[in-house]
Amino acid sequence: MEELCGLGAAASLRGEAEEPKQGSVLFLGGNEVKSSAVVKYSSAPPQAAFARLQEKTDLKLPPANWLRESAKLGPAGTTILGNNKKSKPFSSFGMAYDFIDSVGNDVDVVSDSENIKKLLKIPYSKSHVSMAVHRIGRTLLLDELDIQELFMRSSQTGDWTWLKEFYQRLIDQKWQRKKKSKEHWYQKAILSKFLYYSINGDGAAQPVPSTSKQHQEGPVSGESDEAGRASWPAPFEMPSSLSEDPGASNQGSVPLEPSYIVGHVASAPKEQNLTTLFNDGENSQGLKNDFVRNILWTFEDIHMLVGSNMPIFGGGRYPAVSLRLRDNNKPINVLTGIDYWLDNLICNVPELVMCFHVNGIVQKYEMIKTEDIPNLENSNFSTKVIKDIAQNILSFLKSNCTKEGHTYWLFKASGSDIVKLYDLTTLCEETEDKYQNPFTMPVAILLYKVACNMMLKKNQNKKHYGTIRTLLLNCLKLLDNGRHPQIIASANYMLSELFQLDEPKKEDSTDFPINGNSDESYSEEEEEMPDSDENGSYSNSSDPPDDNKAVAIIKSVGELSVPEKYKSVHRIRPSCAFPVCHGTEERCRLVLNYVLEGLKSVDSSVKKEGDLPAADPSTPIPLKYEDESTSGGPECLEKQMALFLDKMGSFQKGKHSSQSGMVPGSWQYKMKLQLILKSSKAYYVLSDAAMILQKYGRALRYIKLALQCHDTYCCLCASMLPEVLVFLCQCLTLCGDIQLMLAQNANNRAAYLEEYNYQTKEDQEILHSLHRESRCQVFAWATDLSTDLECQLSVSCKCYEAAYEILLFSNLKNQNPEQHIQVLKRMGNIRNEIGVFYMNQAAAVQTERVGNKNVSTTEQQLWKKSFSCFEEGIQNFESIDDATNAALLLCNTGRLMRICAQAHCATEGDFKREFSPEEALYYNKAIDYYLKALRSLGKRDVHPAVWDSVNWELSTTYFTMATLQQDYAPLSRKAQEQIEKEVSEAMMKSLKYCDVDTVSARQPLCQYRAATIHHRLASMYHSCLRNQVGDEHLRKQHRVLADLHYSKAVRLFQLLKDAPCEFLRVQLERVAFAEFQMASQNSSAGKLKTLFGALDIMAKTKSAFQLIRKELVAESEQISKDKSSAENMSPNDSSAGLNKEEVLKLLSIFESRMSFLLLQSIKLLTSTKKKIGGINEEEAVLKTNKQVYSLLLRATANKSMALLERTEVILNLLEQLAQNAEAGNGGIQ
């Protein structure tokens, strides 16, 4: 199986990259073992060809180039040639930092190749194994834990005493340092000389200065204690002891101060742009990745990131070989064979060159292919077994090293078959100081770095949110606020960033699956295992005493060779699932909790107030805003707004200050800015949510906190980012919305005040942190809860204006068109609200005006304010082409003009009342505004409801003006004919805009209005006809018009079922009109025809009297039903619309006119009969008329008769007349 291999991203970070090696599949002894290796990074120069040494070369003599640096070898020369020190305890962390992308996700193991080999040789070897194991996501980090060196250090410094005591108590009571033999150092020295001899080049002859030689030979001839201990950093809290330690570092690294790990958390993570934690901090105290090459090795299904320093030579027909020195008298054993085989597999080297010597004298060379190594004489081993060992060890570790942040210790005593796994973190905690464990900080930093790396990609894959959260929470568990405020603040900020505040209406479950990503970061298994804290994975108390502290035990190393003995049950922890927030408030509260923890860390690291220079009590502190006490009422709003905008302008110029003494550019400064902005957004979302729930007091409290956060941000920030200014606009816009809602719901003011004054402890603490930087009063004018309606409306308007001004002076209008439109729309709306408020106040003042006083100054001021608001609102809507809302404001302006007209009615008594020119002026202005509104809409389809409303108002205005002109004719200024003409024109225009045909809720009103207009026009023409003398043509025209309008009025009133009185009045006027016509007639036939026409009109009033009777009957029934409980009378019963006085008056007129008509018809019919003899039809009519007349006279004579009874009599008489109407009409020609 071949894989395409390439250089890792980190290759460019350090040194030159080696040529990428091609992956390979090796077939060994019929057992296929899949292995591929990709060099991710190499600091070695191109492979040098090795020089074949001549026989009898004495390796005990040093070559001329021994321990000398060479251009061919590059900076890592001495390391390549075997003079490397022991693997450092944090070597895996150095690699993990460089290849952070792989940690927690793709790679199973990160370690030194020596540790990997040691693990895979466990079943074959009697030597001891001691390794530290750490878990980061699904990745295990393995490091050598050299007990010898640790305990030597413990003896001198007192560190690690807890582990030494534990080791002596449970494992090896008689521990003592074991010194390495002279043979060990001898073999090491001749290997080093052999490799230097093997370099093919001319640089070998240069002598080495003695001082340098002495310096370099030290580690070869014998590792001193200091050199051995140098790789172990002291526990974190003891920098002083370390700086005094002469062996603290032989690499020139800095003393271990609190900044050693943090380096500097480069600028605090910005949204979507989190920075890495280190610049060079990890390069000190053993955290450096100092391997010659880092290789991504895939062995079967195990992915490992391995560090290797093995010398590789090449050239000629050997592209890559490893070079080994062997004593010819000692056969190769299995351990050596496995060692050589694994080294070649890991580095993807196909061949091994073996140089045999006797007592340091070179004898011969032998070339062996890598796949042949397992079959060498005396060194036979099964590659399949090695694969099983690897899989079993990995499964054992993954199943038991379950807690991120914990340090596990894998230990096998020398000569023992039992392998034990301890949780050192738990053991260390018993000492009451977790920082006694030197792994604590590197683990915390790595957790942080992996989380940082995943955060950079968080938008690409939200299913990792649970993993990131787990990493950060485990990181925070390891850290102490006093020592690491920077990482704690940054981690808390990142935790807050995981919760999406800008998508509050989205279902949480879609973003964060309940079981999401725990599989990704911990296991591919579906079975969920209980946590080791709870499941008794420690041995029972009945076990031997040396077992009860172990997390897990391999009872015999032989088990590791059994295929799948330890199955890969990687524990999945429920804490890895991202918490599902069931509401916006819960999500925001979590965010604010993390923000608060971050703020506490920042504040604790900044100088306390007592450390700051003392203020001079005689010098006032300059502030850019008014003191809170000076702001009272709406009259100060303009001034406060100007001050606010001036302050905003100053931010643009870069003026800023911090009261707490934070240095601009410091990590505290940058981190606090981000945390404050995050809290501001959380409060904004909370406010928005409360607004939706109509909890306006709570909403105002939250937006106040959001703006206080923003105020502090502004005080600190040197320059405002465009997105921050846009967010400020959103806050001010929401604040304006809330103030408007509070104004419109004044009846719940007490409840809102209670909500507004409530505050959680968390909010108070965040506010306390804000007050360290700013007084937080810049936006006080916008967030106070006023009890005055006018003030609330004004504040709302000022909020929108402030938002608009920010968009303008920041040139953000074009980049944020939607925001710009929303602000202008709200400005138009609030100005309409304020305009209506002033208009209603003016109407109230007008109503309260006593007697005939002139228009007051107060009224005029209110008109001006109202008009100004409407005008500005119209401009706002027109600027965003919102025709509908512009039309509504024009409509309201028209209504204001009508109120002005009503206020200007003549002040004299009604007997002298005339329609004044001021009234005409304002009514005409109103008409202009209504017509503008219609022009703004263009056509009904744009918004039918608004269109109909404007038409109705326009019709009403024409009708009112015409009615006033008709009822209070300005005869002192105009001729009667001119007035009649103007009235007629106004009435016809009113009819034009009165839509009687469209079916709607307003249709009956339109029909009634149209009927009334026709009635008034008919009455006017009737009156003209009576009063006019002379022009016969004009009289005839007026007669025709009167008759036309009367008939139209009747038709429309008949459609309405609730206007019997109006219908009756019109019919009576028509009868009077007929009587007037009859008076001018001379012939009996003509008079009779007119009389019969008038009686026919009378007969047609039957429907009106039936409606009147129905209402009277319903009323009497209601009275009888509710006699016992008069208070239950419904105010909206069926007779509510019936005016009894009106009915009585009309009934009396009707009776008198009917009596007159009947009498006249009897007289005319009688005289006609005498002249021309009897006609049967006329006799019948005459007889009926006499009978009806007789009954009518009796009825009218009875004064005690009730209204209902009189109505019944009239209905009977009309019935009789109706039966004879046809006969009468037929008989009279």
Side-chain angles (χ1 to χ4, degrees):
M1 180 187 76
E2 291 200 350
E3 291 183 3
L4 185 65
C5 309
L7 295 175
S12 60
L13 299 177
R14 304 184 291 118
E16 292 295 322
E18 209 177 55
E19 284 295 313
K21 305 285 191 300
Q22 200 71 14
S24 63
V25 179
L26 304 179
F27 296 92
L28 305 167
N31 292 328
E32 181 183 323
V33 177
K34 297 174 187 171
S35 170
S36 67
V38 179
V39 178
K40 300 289 280 183
Y41 160 80
S42 174
S43 61
Q47 292 158 4
F50 72 95
R52 227 184 214 309
L53 304 184
Q54 293 178 354
E55 281 187 37
K56 309 301 181 187
T57 302
D58 188 354
L59 297 177
K60 295 191 289 294
L61 300 174
N65 66 344
W66 193 39
L67 306 181
R68 294 287 302 276
E69 288 189 6
S70 163
K72 285 190 177 183
L73 297 175
T78 53
T79 309
I80 290 173
L81 296 185
N83 188 29
N84 56 320
K85 294 184 292 296
K86 287 178 67 67
S87 170
K88 294 186 181 180
F90 296 113
S91 61
S92 69
F93 289 89
M95 277 191 284
Y97 293 151
D98 280 353
F99 300 98
I100 204 77
D101 270 342
S102 303
V103 178
N105 192 16
D106 305 328
V107 171
D108 296 299
V109 177
V110 178
S111 185
D112 183 348
S113 61
E114 296 302 315
N115 297 333
I116 300 286
K117 291 191 292 182
K118 192 176 284 190
L119 282 178
L120 297 185
K121 290 188 293 186
I122 283 178
Y124 301 92
S125 171
K126 291 291 181 185
S127 61
H128 88 287
V129 174
S130 174
M131 288 188 198
V133 185
H134 296 91
R135 179 171 205 145
I136 307 292
R138 58 166 281 176
T139 303
L140 296 175
L141 276 71
L142 306 178
D143 291 282
E144 185 178 5
L145 195 62
D146 192 322
I147 296 295
Q148 301 267 333
E149 290 181 11
L150 274 181
F151 293 170
M152 280 302 294
R153 182 177 185 84
S154 174
S155 302
Q156 295 177 15
T157 65
D159 304 336
W160 291 90
T161 50
W162 59 274
L163 183 58
K164 185 176 179 181
E165 288 168 10
F166 169 73
Y167 182 86
Q168 288 181 323
R169 188 170 72 249
L170 294 181
I171 296 167
D172 185 357
Q173 295 177 0
K174 299 175 181 177
W175 174 84
Q176 58 182 0
R177 179 163 175 79
K178 297 180 180 65
K179 295 197 175 183
K180 293 182 179 176
S181 64
K182 287 183 178 179
E183 177 65 18
H184 170 81
W185 299 117
Y186 166 73
Q187 292 296 339
K188 194 161 185 175
I190 66 165
L191 172 63
S192 174
K193 293 168 186 173
F194 164 67
L195 290 172
Y196 272 96
Y197 270 121
S198 299
I199 296 172
N200 184 16
D202 56 352
Q206 295 179 13
V208 182
S210 59
T211 54
S212 174
K213 182 169 179 177
Q214 285 172 358
H215 174 77
Q216 294 285 358
E217 278 184 347
V220 177
S221 59
E223 287 183 345
S224 66
D225 290 347
E226 287 80 2
R229 292 196 306 276
S231 59
W232 280 95
F236 194 82
E237 73 278 14
M238 296 179 64
S240 56
S241 66
L242 186 72
S243 59
E244 293 163 9
D245 184 357
S249 173
N250 59 3
Q251 298 180 22
S253 56
V254 293
L256 187 64
E257 294 176 354
S259 60
Y260 114 87
I261 281 296
V262 178
H264 32 289
V265 176
S267 60
K270 293 180 181 164
E271 291 186 56
Q272 317 306 332
N273 187 22
L274 299 164
T275 56
T276 53
L277 182 68
F278 287 104
N279 280 345
D280 56 1
E282 72 266 30
N283 292 340
S284 61
Q285 293 298 320
L287 296 185
K288 183 181 177 184
N289 177 7
D290 54 3
F291 290 104
V292 172
R293 62 183 67 80
N294 301 131
I295 299 155
L296 193 59
W297 181 41
T298 304
F299 185 60
E300 285 294 316
D301 58 346
I302 304 169
H303 302 284
M304 293 177 263
L305 182 63
V306 182
S308 170
N309 291 326
M310 185 180 79
I312 299 175
F313 294 85
R317 57 195 183 91
Y318 309 116
V321 295
S322 57
L323 204 55
R324 301 287 181 174
L325 184 67
R326 291 296 305 168
D327 190 329
N328 207 16
N329 297 326
K330 295 178 183 176
I332 298 174
N333 60 24
V334 171
L335 294 177
T336 307
I338 292 173
D339 223 36
Y340 292 173
W341 181 69
L342 288 174
D343 265 334
N344 275 18
L345 273 192
I346 290 169
C347 295
N348 214 23
V349 175
E351 292 184 285
L352 164 71
V353 174
M354 195 97 73
C355 176
F356 292 94
H357 73 97
V358 175
N359 294 325
I361 307 298
V362 173
Q363 302 294 317
K364 64 175 179 176
Y365 279 86
E366 190 176 324
M367 187 81 73
I368 306 166
K369 288 187 176 178
T370 302
E371 59 263 38
D372 295 335
I373 296 173
N375 303 318
L376 290 175
E377 192 179 349
N378 300 321
S379 164
N380 285 337
F381 60 91
S382 166
T383 58
K384 182 75 174 165
V385 170
I386 302 293
K387 182 200 79 171
D388 292 335
I389 293 168
Q391 289 173 336
N392 279 326
I393 288 176
L394 180 66
S395 296
F396 172 76
L397 292 175
K398 280 205 170 184
S399 298
N400 295 292
C401 302
T402 57
K403 297 180 183 177
E404 267 177 337
H406 280 227
T407 298
Y408 292 91
W409 180 29
L410 186 73
F411 179 77
K412 182 178 90 72
S414 183
S416 170
D417 275 353
I418 299 171
V419 182
K420 298 178 184 178
L421 185 72
Y422 297 96
D423 184 347
L424 290 188
T425 302
T426 306
L427 297 173
C428 181
E429 281 169 356
E430 294 169 8
T431 69
E432 299 181 358
D433 187 357
K434 59 189 172 187
Y435 299 100
Q436 278 282 339
N437 178 0
F439 281 105
T440 300
M441 272 312 295
V443 172
I445 299 304
L446 187 55
L447 288 166
Y448 175 85
K449 285 180 76 107
V450 173
C452 268
N453 188 57
M454 293 178 84
M455 277 293 277
L456 288 169
K457 303 170 184 174
K458 69 171 184 159
N459 287 335
Q460 299 166 24
N461 196 349
K462 290 185 178 179
K463 70 177 183 176
H464 290 310
Y465 278 20
T467 306
I468 296 170
R469 180 174 175 271
T470 306
L471 288 165
L472 291 170
L473 290 176
N474 286 327
C475 169
L476 288 171
K477 283 179 193 171
L478 298 174
L479 298 172
D480 175 70
N481 197 30
R483 293 167 166 133
H484 325 109
Q486 185 177 3
I487 311 175
I488 289 176
S490 185
N492 276 298
Y493 173 68
M494 280 197 285
L495 282 166
S496 75
E497 274 289 274
L498 291 174
F499 296 86
Q500 295 299 291
L501 293 180
D502 34 353
E503 301 166 12
K505 295 174 180 63
K506 214 170 185 181
E507 284 297 319
D508 298 280
S509 56
T510 58
D511 284 352
F512 318 119
I514 293 173
N515 290 323
N517 58 354
S518 45
D519 290 352
E520 286 293 319
S521 54
Y522 288 98
S523 170
E524 294 77 24
E525 300 289 327
E526 291 182 5
E527 180 186 357
E528 181 169 322
M529 298 291 288
D531 206 351
S532 60
D533 280 351
E534 302 160 7
N535 73 346
S537 57
Y538 293 115
S539 303
N540 295 329
S541 55
S542 59
D543 284 353
D546 59 332
D547 289 345
N548 65 359
K549 292 286 184 182
V551 174
I553 294 173
I554 297 173
K555 293 179 180 175
S556 168
V557 291
E559 294 178 354
L560 293 173
S561 304
V562 180
E564 297 188 6
K565 171 71 176 176
Y566 293 91
K567 289 193 179 175
S568 184
V569 181
H570 310 169
R571 301 205 171 180
I572 304 167
R573 289 172 297 164
S575 62
C576 190
F578 198 81
V580 177
C581 301
H582 297 292
T584 303
E585 183 149 4
E586 189 184 345
R587 180 166 59 238
C588 291
R589 280 289 160 200
L590 272 170
V591 168
L592 289 169
N593 181 51
Y594 291 131
V595 166
L596 177 58
E597 291 304 314
L599 287 172
K600 284 178 179 175
S601 296
V602 173
D603 291 342
S604 68
S605 68
V606 177
K607 282 186 176 182
K608 303 292 180 287
E609 286 180 19
D611 300 335
L612 297 173
D616 182 0
S618 61
T619 308
I621 298 170
L623 299 172
K624 292 192 178 71
Y625 39 78
E626 280 292 289
D627 192 278
E628 193 179 6
S629 59
T630 63
S631 59
E635 65 275 2
C636 295
L637 280 176
E638 292 288 348
K639 190 174 179 184
Q640 290 183 341
M641 262 293 295
L643 286 165
F644 158 68
L645 289 172
D646 175 62
K647 185 176 175 66
M648 291 305 299
S650 73
F651 295 145
Q652 298 298 299
K653 295 166 196 163
K655 296 177 186 174
H656 55 91
S657 61
S658 163
Q659 294 179 8
S660 68
M662 274 197 307
V663 180
S666 65
W667 74 262
Q668 290 100 329
Y669 172 82
K670 292 175 181 175
M671 179 54 70
K672 192 157 190 176
L673 275 180
Q674 295 303 321
L675 288 167
I676 289 170
L677 193 58
K678 190 71 182 178
S679 62
S680 185
K681 288 180 179 177
Y683 283 127
Y684 171 82
V685 174
L686 281 170
S687 180
D688 192 47
M691 178 83 170
I692 292 165
L693 295 172
Q694 299 181 348
K695 301 282 186 183
Y696 302 124
R698 189 196 303 174
L700 187 62
R701 168 164 57 90
Y702 283 138
I703 203 67
K704 179 177 184 176
L705 286 162
L707 286 167
Q708 284 176 320
C709 292
H710 214 291
D711 180 13
T712 308
Y713 183 91
C714 294
C715 281
L716 293 174
C717 195
S719 59
M720 298 290 277
L721 296 168
E723 55 266 31
V724 176
L725 285 171
V726 170
F727 175 63
L728 176 56
C729 289
Q730 291 171 343
C731 287
L732 288 167
T733 304
L734 181 59
C735 188
D737 293 347
I738 295 164
Q739 291 284 10
L740 176 56
M741 288 295 107
L742 286 166
Q744 291 177 347
N745 295 273
N747 50 336
N748 288 333
R749 195 167 277 151
Y752 296 146
L753 189 62
E754 189 178 344
E755 288 173 7
Y756 178 73
N757 289 325
Y758 174 79
Q759 206 169 40
T760 65
K761 185 172 183 291
E762 196 175 56
D763 296 338
Q764 289 170 348
E765 288 181 346
I766 289 174
L767 207 53
H768 175 73
S769 178
L770 299 179
H771 281 143
R772 287 170 60 91
E773 316 302 335
S774 154
R775 285 182 68 242
C776 303
Q777 291 298 322
V778 169
F779 298 100
W781 58 270
T783 54
D784 287 339
L785 180 56
S786 173
T787 53
D788 180 62
L789 184 61
E790 183 183 355
C791 183
Q792 283 176 326
L793 290 171
S794 299
V795 167
S796 178
C797 187
K798 296 300 171 193
C799 286
Y800 297 139
E801 286 174 3
Y804 182 68
E805 288 296 321
I806 291 167
L807 285 174
L808 273 188
F809 73 62
S810 308
N811 298 318
L812 293 169
K813 191 171 72 170
N814 298 328
Q815 292 95 312
N816 300 274
E818 186 60 34
Q819 181 82 7
H820 179 239
I821 288 168
Q822 285 300 318
V823 170
L824 277 171
K825 194 169 277 191
R826 281 171 163 82
M827 280 169 70
N829 179 56
I830 191 64
R831 282 166 173 165
N832 178 53
E833 292 285 339
I834 297 171
V836 170
F837 171 77
Y838 288 135
M839 181 167 69
N840 291 339
Q841 276 199 325
V845 171
Q846 183 182 314
T847 308
E848 290 166 9
R849 210 192 312 155
V850 184
N852 298 323
K853 288 183 182 175
N854 291 323
V855 176
S856 65
T857 313
T858 307
E859 275 181 90
Q860 289 177 336
Q861 288 299 321
L862 290 169
W863 292 341
K864 284 178 183 174
K865 285 181 180 179
S866 179
F867 180 74
S868 172
C869 289
F870 287 140
E871 207 170 36
E872 288 172 347
I874 291 163
Q875 286 171 3
N876 293 147
F877 286 125
E878 284 177 346
S879 68
I880 55 172
D881 299 323
D882 188 342
T884 307
N885 281 317
L888 284 170
L889 262 73
L890 285 162
C891 205
N892 277 341
T893 315
R895 187 176 149 217
L896 176 66
M897 295 300 113
R898 282 159 61 192
I899 287 172
C900 295
Q902 289 162 18
H904 281 93
C905 65
T907 53
E908 296 88 357
D910 280 352
F911 61 94
K912 288 182 181 177
R913 166 93 163 89
E914 279 191 2
F915 184 66
S916 66
E918 289 84 3
E919 285 177 272
L921 173 71
Y922 282 113
Y923 277 121
N924 281 314
K925 279 186 177 180
I927 287 164
D928 286 343
Y929 282 113
Y930 289 129
L931 289 171
K932 275 184 187 174
L934 287 178
R935 284 198 297 274
S936 174
L937 288 169
K939 53 186 177 181
R940 187 173 186 271
D941 295 345
V942 173
H943 202 297
V946 175
W947 177 270
D948 293 344
S949 177
V950 176
N951 269 292
W952 173 253
E953 294 295 333
L954 185 52
S955 173
T956 304
T957 309
Y958 276 123
F959 177 72
T960 307
M961 191 164 67
T963 305
L964 289 169
Q965 274 187 295
Q966 194 174 8
D967 294 348
Y968 306 103
L971 294 167
S972 62
R973 292 182 285 109
K974 294 180 181 177
Q976 179 72 35
E977 289 80 6
Q978 189 186 349
I979 292 168
E980 287 167 4
K981 184 184 175 187
E982 287 177 3
V983 168
S984 175
E985 285 174 357
M987 287 291 190
M988 292 312 290
K989 283 178 180 173
S990 181
L991 269 176
K992 176 185 172 184
Y993 294 107
C994 187
D995 184 3
V996 294
D997 300 320
T998 305
V999 178
S1000 66
R1002 197 182 272 125
Q1003 190 184 25
L1005 276 175
C1006 291
Q1007 289 172 339
Y1008 186 85
R1009 165 74 52 75
T1012 307
I1013 290 170
H1014 284 301
H1015 178 201
R1016 279 188 161 270
L1017 284 171
S1019 298
M1020 186 181 75
Y1021 291 128
H1022 185 176
S1023 175
C1024 292
L1025 199 58
R1026 282 177 182 278
N1027 299 329
Q1028 202 168 26
V1029 183
D1031 192 342
E1032 191 58 38
H1033 174 71
L1034 202 55
R1035 284 173 63 79
K1036 185 179 178 182
Q1037 190 180 352
H1038 284 163
R1039 186 163 50 246
V1040 171
L1041 286 169
D1043 195 44
L1044 173 70
H1045 287 298
Y1046 274 133
S1047 59
K1048 284 186 178 179
V1050 167
R1051 183 174 58 78
L1052 285 163
F1053 278 130
Q1054 274 180 315
L1055 290 171
L1056 298 164
K1057 301 299 179 188
D1058 56 353
C1061 293
E1062 287 84 349
F1063 178 58
L1064 199 53
R1065 189 181 291 107
V1066 174
Q1067 292 292 55
L1068 287 172
E1069 284 192 26
R1070 287 182 76 190
V1071 170
F1073 185 57
E1075 288 177 13
F1076 175 69
Q1077 285 180 298
M1078 194 174 67
S1080 63
Q1081 288 175 327
N1082 297 321
S1083 69
S1084 296
K1087 284 186 177 184
L1088 263 178
K1089 186 175 180 180
T1090 306
L1091 272 171
F1092 281 127
L1095 284 169
D1096 185 46
I1097 289 168
M1098 285 261 177
K1100 284 178 180 172
T1101 58
K1102 181 181 172 184
S1103 61
F1105 281 109
Q1106 283 173 334
L1107 281 169
I1108 290 167
R1109 181 180 65 180
K1110 183 182 174 184
E1111 295 202 20
L1112 289 169
V1113 168
E1115 184 184 1
S1116 63
E1117 285 175 0
Q1118 189 72 26
I1119 289 169
S1120 61
K1121 190 193 290 184
D1122 298 334
K1123 226 170 203 175
S1124 56
S1125 54
E1127 68 276 4
N1128 291 337
M1129 279 282 288
S1130 171
N1132 296 321
D1133 61 70
S1134 59
S1135 64
L1138 194 64
N1139 187 339
K1140 286 186 182 178
E1141 287 181 19
E1142 179 89 357
V1143 172
L1144 279 168
K1145 187 178 172 185
L1146 289 169
L1147 193 56
S1148 300
I1149 297 169
F1150 187 86
E1151 286 168 347
S1152 70
R1153 296 334 298 156
M1154 191 175 180
S1155 175
F1156 171 75
L1157 289 173
L1158 286 169
L1159 182 60
Q1160 291 301 315
S1161 69
I1162 291 166
K1163 284 180 181 178
L1164 277 171
L1165 284 169
T1166 306
S1167 63
T1168 310
K1169 183 184 173 186
K1170 285 176 183 177
K1171 287 178 185 176
I1172 58 173
I1175 300 170
N1176 290 334
E1177 293 86 350
E1178 286 188 5
E1179 284 180 5
V1181 171
L1182 180 59
K1183 185 181 175 183
T1184 303
N1185 286 2
K1186 282 181 178 179
Q1187 189 182 349
V1188 171
Y1189 183 62
S1190 170
L1191 289 167
L1192 183 58
L1193 286 176
R1194 284 182 199 149
T1196 51
N1198 186 0
K1199 301 291 183 188
S1200 62
M1201 194 182 286
L1203 182 58
L1204 184 56
E1205 291 175 70
R1206 288 174 68 180
T1207 308
E1208 295 282 4
V1209 170
I1210 295 292
L1211 278 169
N1212 288 333
L1213 296 177
L1214 290 175
E1215 187 67 39
Q1216 290 181 37
L1217 277 177
Q1219 289 170 2
N1220 292 288
E1222 286 185 17
N1225 286 336
I1228 308 266
Q1229 299 299 325

